[in-house]
Amino acid sequence: MPVIDKAERIRALNDAFRSSNTARTLVLTRGVAALNPSIQRQIIQALASFDRFDVDNDPYGEHDFGAFTVSGHRLFFKIDYYDRSCLHHSPDPADSAVTCRVLTLMLANEY
């Protein structure tokens, strides 16, 4: 069985989490929540298919941040890692058994 380093495991978990249309904790900021529902659907689709990671937006290779534009709206997403109670940082983001992932989606001007 091949050895997968920690960043590779986190990246795989983050990619699966981000691209899932179910079973994820997604937080929309007020700006995103106020957008037209059809624009929100486009944004969620763009989020799920996002794959433009590079050294500027992904310096650790974990695929936990990204920026994209939909219908003239510039958006950022960020994945944070919490323990299973979602009260503290995860002890190991590479271990899904002890990690609750939360994805925050915001308009760039809300950052």
Side-chain angles (χ1 to χ4, degrees):
M1 181 173 185
V3 175
I4 298 176
D5 78 7
K6 192 169 190 167
E8 288 178 50
R9 178 72 181 141
I10 292 170
R11 180 173 50 248
L13 290 167
N14 285 345
D15 286 345
F17 179 72
R18 189 188 64 263
S19 63
S20 171
N21 285 322
T22 61
R24 72 170 173 216
T25 302
L26 176 63
V27 176
L28 303 179
T29 59
R30 287 181 184 218
V32 176
L35 295 173
N36 179 295
S38 66
I39 299 291
Q40 289 176 356
R41 282 189 293 279
Q42 292 173 37
I43 289 169
I44 298 301
Q45 290 171 344
L47 171 66
S49 64
F50 183 86
D51 64 357
R52 293 179 305 278
F53 296 99
D54 58 41
V55 295
D56 291 328
N57 68 14
D58 191 33
Y60 302 106
E62 295 181 355
H63 291 188
D64 62 349
F65 174 84
F68 58 97
T69 303
V70 172
S71 296
H73 299 282
R74 186 73 174 155
L75 296 116
F76 295 155
F77 72 84
K78 174 68 174 114
I79 298 174
D80 292 298
Y81 316 115
Y82 295 96
D83 66 2
R84 296 305 291 175
S85 69
C86 289
L87 295 175
H88 306 284
H89 279 102
S90 170
D92 183 4
D95 184 352
S96 60
V98 299
T99 302
C100 174
R101 283 175 161 69
V102 176
L103 191 150
T104 302
L105 184 57
M106 70 188 77
L107 295 173
N109 65 4
E110 295 178 298
Y111 181 73

